[in-house]
Amino acid sequence: MNVSPYAGKQAEASMLVNVPKLVSAYYTKVPDPSVPAQRVAFGTSGHRGSAFDLAFNEWHILAISQAICLYRKQRRIDGPLYLGMDTHALSVPALTSALEVLAANEVEVMVAQGDEYTPTPAVSHAILTYNRGRTTGLADGIVITPSHNPPHDGGFKYNPPHGGPAESIVTAWIEAKANEFLENGLLGVNRIPAERALRASTTHHHDYLNAYVADLAKVIDMDVVRDAQIRMGVDPLGGAGVHYWGPIADRYGLDLTVVNEAIDPTFRFMMVDWDGQIRMDPSSTYAMQSLIGLKDRFEIAFACDTDHDRHGIVTRSAGLLPPNHYLAVAVFYLLQHRPMWHKEAAIGKTVVSSRMIDLVTAKSSRKLYEVPVGFKWFVDGLLDGSLCFGGEESAGASFARMDGSVWTTDKDGIVPALLAAEITARMDRDPGEIYRELTHEFGEPAYDRVEAPATPEQKELLAKLSPQQVRLTELADEKILTVLTRAPGNDAPIGGLKVIAESGWFAARPSGTENIYKIYGESFRGDDHLRRILKEAQMIVDDVLAEAP
C-alpha cells in the first residue's frame, strides 16, 4: 500500500472538489448505457459514483426512482417511503430528483422536518417503528448517501420494509429496470417539477431526529453514562448526524462535546486519507488524526462517517481502536450486560472479521453466525431476534434493544459510539484497556487488509474462486484446515474464498463498489507470520488473475 505524503494532514485547497461544477455535471451530463461504467450498478450498498465520471447523474436517479416505484407496486408496498440524505454535495440534487418521481407516482414520502440531514440508522429506525405490528400498508425507504466515499461521489440505496439494505435479488431487479429506462431515454419515467413535488399532498415532513433520539434509552443504558459523568467527545466528520449529538446530550444530561459542527460539501476540515483522497472514514487513522489528537481531553471519544452508519472509537489508552478490536470488546461487554437478550440469539460477523470475535462468543456459550461481506446478511436475524448483534470489520454494527427486540436492521454508527461510553462508565476503563485484557486471555492477533487494482473481468474471476484453485496444502508453514467459498453461517457464496489454518487465515474477494480486490489476513503468531500469510495469498490471487483475458 503506497501511502500518500499528504496522508493524515489537512486537505489542501487544490484537493477540494469544485461543488458548482459537480452539481452542474449532475444535471447536464447524460450517461451512455452502452458504457458499463455509466450504467446503474448496485454494489454491496446501493448505486454509487461521481457526476464527473457520468456514474451518478440526474438520469440515474430518475431511472432508479421510477424502478423503485414499479418494485413497490409489484410487491404491494403501499405505506409511506422514508426518504433521507447525507451531507455530500450530490445528495440534495439527488433527493430533489427522487422526489419529483416519487410524487409523480403518488408515493407517500416522508422527508426530514426542516430539510434536516438524516442518518441511515434514523431511516431504518423510522421504517421499523412504522411497520411494528403491521402486515399491510408497510413502509420502506431510500437513503441518499455514498457512505464515507470522497466528496465528489453520490450514492443511492433502497431499504425494503424490513428496514435494512435490500437483498441482491431486489437490487438486481431495480438495477435491470433502471437500465432499461436509461436505454429508452427515460421513456416511462413519471416526473413532476420539484416545486409541485414539494407541495404535493403525498409529501410529508417527519421528525426523524427526535423520534430516534427519544428511543435511544431502549438500546443504551443512558443512566449509567449520565451518572458516571464521563467526558465524551464526538466528531460527526461533517456528516448527517451533526445536529443529532446536541439533542442527545441535552435529553440525557451527558457531558458530551461536539468538537466539529461544520457542514461543508468540500469536507475541507478533514485530514487526508492514506491514498491522498478526502474520505470521511472513522476507522482510518489518517482521516481521524484530528480527533486522535484530542484523545486526552476526553475519557472516551468517537466519530461517525457521513451517513452515520459506521463508528470510530478513540480511547485514551490506545488511540483509535481498529474496528475488529472494538467489535470484540462490544460483544464481550454486551453478552454480560444485556440479561434480557434471548440465550439462543447468535452473534453475527462477516467472514473477514477477526477470529477474536469467535473466541469471545464461544466463551459466552453463544452461537456464531458467520456470513459473507455485506450487512444485508444480518437483516433477517436482527429482525426476528435470532441475532442479537451483527458486525462488520469495516466498522459497521447494530445490536438488539435492551429487551432483545430489533433496534435497526441497517448499520448504526451512533449506537456503537454511545456503547463505548456505556462500557467506559460501567467498567471504569475504556474499550482499549478491555481489548488488552482479552489479548492476555486469547492471544494477540495481527490483522491487515491489502488492496490492488482489478479489471471487471479480473473481479469476476476472483468472485468465482474455487477450493480446487488453492493448490497449497500449507499456509505459512501450517496445515490448511479448511478452504471456504461459502459462509459457514448461511451457506451463501462468499464471492471469493477463505483459507484457514490453525493460527491464521486469509480471505480474498473483489470489491463490490470499486475496481479493486481485497485480501484480508489474520495471524495469532504475530506480524511476521501475517506477512507470510498475505504473501502466499497474493500468489494464489496472482495465479487466478493470470487466467484473465
Side-chain angles (χ1 to χ4, degrees), residues 219-232 254 299-302 311-317 321-338 341 360 389 397 399 402 414-438:
V219 67
I220 298 293
D221 192 336
M222 290 299 199
D223 292 340
V224 164
V225 181
R226 182 195 62 240
D227 294 347
Q229 296 183 319
I230 60 169
R231 289 190 309 282
M232 293 168 276
L254 308 182
E299 285 157 90
I300 191 74
F302 30 83
H311 59 270
I313 310 300
V314 176
T315 65
R316 278 184 177 176
S317 65
L321 283 185
N324 277 312
H325 294 197
Y326 182 61
L327 291 179
V329 171
V331 170
F332 171 78
Y333 174 84
L334 287 165
L335 292 182
Q336 295 179 69
H337 295 96
R338 294 297 186 269
W341 282 8
V360 169
F389 181 96
F399 47 89
M402 297 278 195
I414 297 171
V415 161
L418 291 170
L419 180 69
E422 181 189 329
I423 292 170
T424 305
R426 191 188 293 276
M427 306 293 281
D428 199 29
R429 53 198 190 280
D430 69 41
E433 294 169 293
I434 295 171
Y435 184 76
R436 178 59 50 198
E437 293 167 13
L438 292 177

Side-chain angles (χ1 to χ4, degrees), residues 101 105 191 220 267 357 387 398-399 438 443 473 497 541:
V101 173
N105 284 273
R191 180 187 188 189
I220 298 293
F267 294 90
I357 299 165
L387 288 180
S398 190
F399 47 89
L438 292 177
T473 57
L497 89 172
V541 172

Side-chain angles (χ1 to χ4, degrees), residues 70-88:
L70 294 179
Y71 176 79
R72 296 181 98 240
K73 204 166 193 175
Q74 184 196 73
R75 305 299 296 182
R76 295 185 174 85
I77 301 166
D78 52 7
L81 183 143
Y82 288 88
L83 180 61
M85 66 174 177
D86 77 0
T87 53
H88 277 79

Side-chain angles (χ1 to χ4, degrees), residues 70-352:
L70 294 179
Y71 176 79
R72 296 181 98 240
K73 204 166 193 175
Q74 184 196 73
R75 305 299 296 182
R76 295 185 174 85
I77 301 166
D78 52 7
L81 183 143
Y82 288 88
L83 180 61
M85 66 174 177
D86 77 0
T87 53
H88 277 79
L90 291 176
S91 294
V92 171
L95 184 136
T96 303
S97 301
L99 190 58
E100 290 175 353
V101 173
L102 295 167
N105 284 273
E106 300 182 339
V107 174
E108 301 283 338
V109 179
M110 311 299 281
V111 294
Q113 195 169 288
D115 297 324
E116 184 58 77
Y117 300 104
T118 317
T120 287
V123 174
S124 180
H125 178 270
I127 295 168
L128 294 175
T129 300
Y130 184 87
N131 288 342
R132 191 172 293 127
R134 296 176 189 268
T135 54
T136 59
L138 297 176
D140 55 0
I142 291 171
V143 190
I144 299 171
T145 174
S147 190
H148 58 289
N149 278 29
H152 54 65
D153 278 1
F156 199 88
K157 64 179 187 175
Y158 175 62
N159 287 30
H162 57 50
E167 302 88 337
S168 300
I169 192 168
V170 177
T171 56
W173 192 95
I174 293 169
E175 178 184 303
K177 189 60 67 175
N179 282 319
E180 275 183 40
F181 287 128
L182 291 186
E183 289 159 3
N184 294 323
L186 298 183
L187 184 67
V189 172
N190 299 322
R191 180 187 188 189
I192 62 174
E195 297 81 6
R196 278 180 57 201
L198 285 165
R199 293 195 309 268
S201 61
T202 51
T203 300
H204 313 281
H205 288 90
H206 178 69
D207 189 354
Y208 289 94
L209 190 156
N210 284 304
Y212 178 89
V213 171
D215 224 12
L216 280 170
K218 303 279 181 60
V219 67
I220 298 293
D221 192 336
M222 290 299 199
D223 292 340
V224 164
V225 181
R226 182 195 62 240
D227 294 347
Q229 296 183 319
I230 60 169
R231 289 190 309 282
M232 293 168 276
V234 60
D235 189 343
L237 302 182
V242 67
H243 296 147
Y244 277 57
W245 294 102
I248 289 171
D250 292 343
R251 184 180 186 92
Y252 297 105
L254 308 182
D255 184 356
L256 175 64
T257 302
V258 182
V259 302
N260 175 21
E261 294 184 315
I263 296 176
D264 181 339
T266 67
F267 294 90
R268 66 180 69 240
F269 45 77
M270 286 299 301
M271 299 298 163
V272 176
D273 206 2
W274 67 273
D275 57 354
Q277 292 269 0
I278 296 173
R279 192 178 284 112
M280 290 60 71
D281 183 356
S283 65
S284 164
T285 53
Y286 299 105
M288 286 279 281
Q289 278 301 303
S290 290
L291 191 59
I292 293 169
L294 299 176
K295 70 181 179 68
D296 294 330
R297 275 181 51 188
F298 306 106
E299 285 157 90
I300 191 74
F302 30 83
C304 293
D305 70 338
T306 329
D307 68 321
H308 271 49
D309 73 342
R310 296 173 194 252
H311 59 270
I313 310 300
V314 176
T315 65
R316 278 184 177 176
S317 65
L320 178 67
L321 283 185
N324 277 312
H325 294 197
Y326 182 61
L327 291 179
V329 171
V331 170
F332 171 78
Y333 174 84
L334 287 165
L335 292 182
Q336 295 179 69
H337 295 96
R338 294 297 186 269
M340 293 177 68
W341 282 8
H342 196 283
K343 298 300 180 193
E344 293 301 309
I347 298 295
K349 62 163 274 196
T350 55
V351 291
V352 298

Side-chain angles (χ1 to χ4, degrees), residues 338-375:
R338 294 297 186 269
M340 293 177 68
W341 282 8
H342 196 283
K343 298 300 180 193
E344 293 301 309
I347 298 295
K349 62 163 274 196
T350 55
V351 291
V352 298
S353 300
S354 174
R355 186 168 170 258
M356 183 67 90
I357 299 165
D358 308 35
L359 299 171
V360 169
T361 303
K363 186 182 180 184
S364 298
S365 302
R366 286 272 176 173
K367 288 183 290 189
L368 187 76
Y369 184 69
E370 190 170 357
V371 298
V373 171
F375 205 80

Side-chain angles (χ1 to χ4, degrees), residues 410-477:
D410 211 329
K411 298 189 290 287
D412 187 330
I414 297 171
V415 161
L418 291 170
L419 180 69
E422 181 189 329
I423 292 170
T424 305
R426 191 188 293 276
M427 306 293 281
D428 199 29
R429 53 198 190 280
D430 69 41
E433 294 169 293
I434 295 171
Y435 184 76
R436 178 59 50 198
E437 293 167 13
L438 292 177
T439 64
H440 291 156
E441 182 173 358
F442 298 114
E444 185 166 0
Y447 181 99
D448 200 4
R449 183 182 88 184
V450 294
E451 300 175 353
T455 65
E457 293 77 19
Q458 290 173 327
K459 285 173 62 178
E460 195 172 338
L461 273 175
L462 283 174
K464 295 175 181 173
L465 282 171
S466 68
Q468 291 71 36
Q469 287 171 279
V470 180
R471 301 184 184 94
L472 303 173
T473 57
E474 291 189 343
L475 180 64
D477 288 338

